Amino acid sequence: MIILAFPDYLSQAQRLASRLDAPLAEVVLHHFPDGESLIRLPPSLPEHVVVCRSLNQPNDKLIELLLCATTARELGAKRLTLVTPYLSYMRQDIANQPGEAVSQRIVGKLLADLFDDVLTVDPHLHRISVLTQAIPIKNAISLTAADEIGTFLKQQFNHALLLGPDSESKQWVAAIAENIGFDYAIAKKNRLGDKQVEMSLPDGDYRNKPVIIIDDMASTGRTLAKAAGLLQAAGSKDIYAVVTHALFCDDAYAHILKSGIKTIWSTDSIDHPSSCIKLDALLADAIKAITR
């Protein structure tokens, strides 16, 4: 086995390679002035190749994965495993208007054609229950960072209230709360646009206790900021946030911090100053499980 790491996921891949006691090579990546990508892999590869890259800002990255996977096959790889902790294009699972591309299905098929295994963490799935419905291969594996997040929060707080921002987060937030003995509540949310959300908190006492908003991703930051504003109005003074995937587009991170959230933490699925919750143990265990 060899780990192939793209430059934007190198430090995480190095930790993964160390846990697997596997050699690592960095994919050489060059962009021409017109935006075309050139990649270079080691000239000889073993039968099993693990490619590591999260798919935030995905459009160039998907093309580069296509180049990487095709070239790896030509260089001797028989089994290709993609480790992509953040998996893009999972939101659009139906055509909301006639003529819309169902990107989940299209990108899922592309990945299924390129890779034998796809491992991701807390993908943003709506109307499907298992990842194989989006990526039609046997080993399309959806992991969860719930235990890693719970362990981290238990180290920071003796007790706190966990707040899920919408009904989709309930199962996940409840599982974290139960595992570490914290309380939880679930807000109601209605998204009106990319940066417009309506939200309401359930009845409860939010004073005199830390409240931690937990979400699978933060893109514009408006959901977290809205929740923070409501919590402040309800008397909460100690507000924090944890997200699995720190996308933080444009002014999102600054907007979140201005909203009254004291600190935001994220996993290292995406490199960011907030990414302090490591996923290498979770990913290594999953790779070991599929290669036994």
Side-chain angles (χ1 to χ4, degrees):
M1 179 194 296
I2 190 172
I3 309 293
L4 292 184
F6 279 83
D8 49 274
Y9 196 76
L10 181 59
S11 60
Q12 298 96 317
Q14 287 171 333
R15 289 191 289 271
L16 179 62
S18 178
R19 285 192 177 272
L20 294 171
D21 195 23
L24 179 143
E26 184 176 353
V27 176
V28 177
L29 182 60
H30 174 74
H31 293 115
F32 293 104
D34 65 351
E36 286 189 4
S37 299
L38 179 148
I39 70 160
R40 186 168 68 248
L41 307 182
S44 179
L45 293 173
E47 289 194 357
H48 189 189
V49 173
V50 178
V51 178
C52 295
R53 192 176 212 188
S54 265
L55 288 174
N56 54 308
Q57 300 176 330
N59 293 350
D60 287 348
K61 292 183 177 183
L62 285 168
I63 293 295
E64 290 159 4
L65 278 187
L66 169 64
L67 298 175
C68 178
T70 304
T71 305
R73 299 280 189 195
E74 294 170 353
L75 294 172
K78 305 297 184 190
R79 181 175 187 177
L80 283 178
T81 299
L82 175 63
V83 173
T84 180
Y86 175 68
L87 180 59
S88 59
Y89 282 113
M90 290 295 105
R91 295 184 185 100
Q92 186 76 11
D93 54 6
I94 61 169
N96 293 302
Q97 298 182 37
E100 281 187 350
V102 182
S103 56
Q104 182 190 90
R105 186 187 310 149
I106 297 166
V107 172
K109 184 179 185 304
L110 171 66
L111 296 178
D113 290 342
L114 294 175
F115 295 95
D116 302 289
D117 321 289
V118 176
L119 279 64
T120 190
V121 179
D122 292 321
H124 201 75
L125 306 178
H126 285 293
R127 281 166 282 265
I128 65 173
S129 55
V130 291
L131 189 61
T132 52
Q133 293 174 269
I135 304 174
I137 54 174
K138 178 182 177 182
N139 280 336
I141 298 171
S142 172
L143 306 169
T144 179
D147 286 348
E148 284 69 22
I149 290 172
T151 298
F152 176 82
L153 291 177
K154 194 67 174 175
Q155 293 168 349
Q156 309 301 315
F157 302 93
N158 292 324
H159 194 76
L161 173 70
L162 307 185
L163 179 70
D166 52 39
S167 59
E168 292 175 356
S169 68
K170 180 176 181 178
Q171 184 174 357
W172 190 51
V173 173
I176 297 172
E178 182 177 355
N179 286 343
I180 62 177
F182 287 9
D183 297 324
Y184 76 93
I186 305 297
K188 292 182 179 179
K189 183 180 79 173
N190 180 32
R191 181 169 291 281
L192 305 176
D194 289 342
K195 292 188 176 183
Q196 294 84 38
V197 293
E198 291 179 341
M199 186 181 294
S200 61
L201 298 177
D203 292 337
D205 184 0
Y206 297 95
R207 299 167 297 171
N208 304 317
K209 67 184 77 170
V211 181
I212 307 162
I213 309 163
I214 299 187
D215 209 352
D216 61 342
M217 69 172 70
S219 179
T220 67
R222 269 52 184 180
T223 292
L224 294 179
K226 184 70 171 180
L230 293 173
L231 287 167
Q232 288 177 310
S236 178
K237 293 184 172 60
D238 296 316
I239 306 168
Y240 304 85
V242 176
V243 296
T244 305
H245 307 298
L247 295 173
F248 295 142
C249 304
D250 301 325
D251 67 340
Y253 189 59
H255 187 78
I256 292 166
L257 294 179
K258 287 179 182 177
S259 71
I261 291 175
K262 288 187 171 182
T263 308
I264 181 165
W265 300 288
S266 66
T267 77
D268 65 351
S269 70
I270 297 168
D271 260 338
H272 187 267
S274 67
S275 57
C276 57
I277 303 171
K278 303 296 189 287
L279 298 177
D280 48 280
L282 174 70
L283 295 168
D285 287 346
I287 291 172
K288 290 173 184 176
I290 65 172
T291 53
R292 286 194 183 108

